[in-house]
Amino acid sequence: VDKPVQVKLVLLGEAAVGKSSVVMRFVQNDFSENKEPTIGAAFLTQKCRLEDRVLRYEIWDTAGQERFHSLAPMYYRNAQAAVVVYDITKASSLEKAKSWVKELQRQANPNIVIALVGNKLDLVQSPAAAGAAPAGEEAEDEEADDATATPGEGGEQPLPEPEQEGESLRQVPKDEAAAYAQEAGLLFAETSAKTGEGVVEVFTEIAKKIPIE
Ligand code: GDP
Ligand code: MG
């Protein structure tokens, strides 16, 4: 039986974008609303099965706070893969992600496989799926400009500044982030740690790009 190949992977990104949640979804297939912020870094492992081989990820989940920034090189120095996470409902988190990518491309292993991941996809999908709307509130005020969205129901009273819902919460257009990722040579995906959408795929796509020793 083949021994799994060890792959050191580091997660980077602004605080609260969902790094630990993405890892928890991948490793335990679980999600919790009230995750404690990571202090320093957390270490987890998870196997990833491809058609022709098995990898064992050694995952370093770093803290996003600025005061921990100086520790990051310890975690990415020998990493073969990095997942740089931003929150698609927070534009500034993409800027932070870009600065991590730059740092990795300057300082990390030149062959490192980097994935850019826009997390919290559930928040821009239907409010029902997001689970954020208070009980009793229905998803009737969506301002979706998405071509695939259903047309709005007419005849409603305009609501006074409703809580933002659906696509109106999105601050980072998918095609903009994808274009940046392509230009920078990164894998790209949008995920929801909450629903699990896209999470396993990120780690599988990375695994496919890890060279066979
Ligand atoms: P980290 O600081 O990057 O590790 O972020 P955490 O994983 O600690 O998550 C920060 C907050 O965002 C927590 O309250 C999570 O429950 C929440 N969160 C993380 N991922 C998602 C997601 O995909 N969707 C939603 N709705 N919330 C998320
Ligand atoms: Mg964390």
Side-chain angles (χ1 to χ4, degrees):
V1 193
D2 285 350
K3 231 173 95 204
V5 182
Q6 317 279 336
V7 176
K8 189 174 159 188
L9 180 147
V10 64
L11 274 106
L12 296 165
E14 193 171 272
V17 295
K19 297 178 295 299
S20 299
S21 299
V22 166
V23 174
M24 190 158 84
R25 175 58 73 188
F26 177 54
V27 172
Q28 295 175 16
N29 195 20
D30 199 5
F31 177 78
S32 106
E33 290 286 350
N34 308 304
K35 268 206 75 45
E36 318 242 303
T38 310
I39 306 295
F43 178 75
L44 301 97
T45 68
Q46 174 66 12
K47 281 191 185 152
C48 182
R49 220 167 276 282
L50 295 182
E51 263 176 41
D52 55 337
R53 60 201 169 118
V54 180
L55 286 74
R56 181 172 175 270
Y57 279 121
E58 302 181 331
I59 301 169
W60 287 98
D61 171 24
T62 67
Q65 291 89 347
E66 253 339 290
R67 69 196 150 103
F68 294 118
H69 191 124
S70 61
L71 299 180
M74 282 199 320
Y75 300 107
Y76 66 63
R77 190 164 296 133
N78 303 309
Q80 291 132 284
V83 176
V84 180
V85 184
Y86 67 96
D87 173 347
I88 64 174
T89 70
K90 192 175 177 201
S92 63
S93 70
L94 177 64
E95 297 313 307
K96 183 67 199 175
K98 288 180 180 178
S99 82
W100 278 120
V101 169
K102 264 194 213 123
E103 182 168 338
L104 288 171
Q105 290 182 331
R106 256 199 318 257
Q107 321 253 32
N109 172 350
N111 302 318
I112 191 168
V113 177
I114 306 173
L116 178 70
V117 169
N119 189 43
K120 307 200 183 181
L121 185 56
D122 58 283
L123 292 180
V124 310
Q125 292 168 334
S126 79
E137 277 204 19
E138 285 308 320
E140 21 200 47
D141 193 59
E142 197 163 315
E143 296 180 18
D145 50 10
D146 187 332
T148 62
T150 51
E153 301 150 29
E156 282 180 347
Q157 299 300 321
L159 296 169
E161 277 304 305
E163 247 186 86
Q164 275 194 311
E165 287 174 340
E167 279 291 336
S168 64
L169 261 182
R170 181 189 279 275
Q171 287 190 1
V172 180
K174 183 176 184 181
D175 49 2
E176 186 187 310
Y180 159 72
Q182 183 165 23
E183 199 179 301
L186 320 172
L187 292 169
F188 172 70
E190 289 189 339
T191 62
S192 167
K194 184 166 178 169
T195 66
E197 185 171 349
V199 172
V200 171
E201 289 83 351
V202 168
F203 292 88
T204 306
E205 289 308 306
I206 292 171
K208 288 180 188 164
K209 291 195 71 178
I210 301 289
I212 298 171
E213 291 168 9

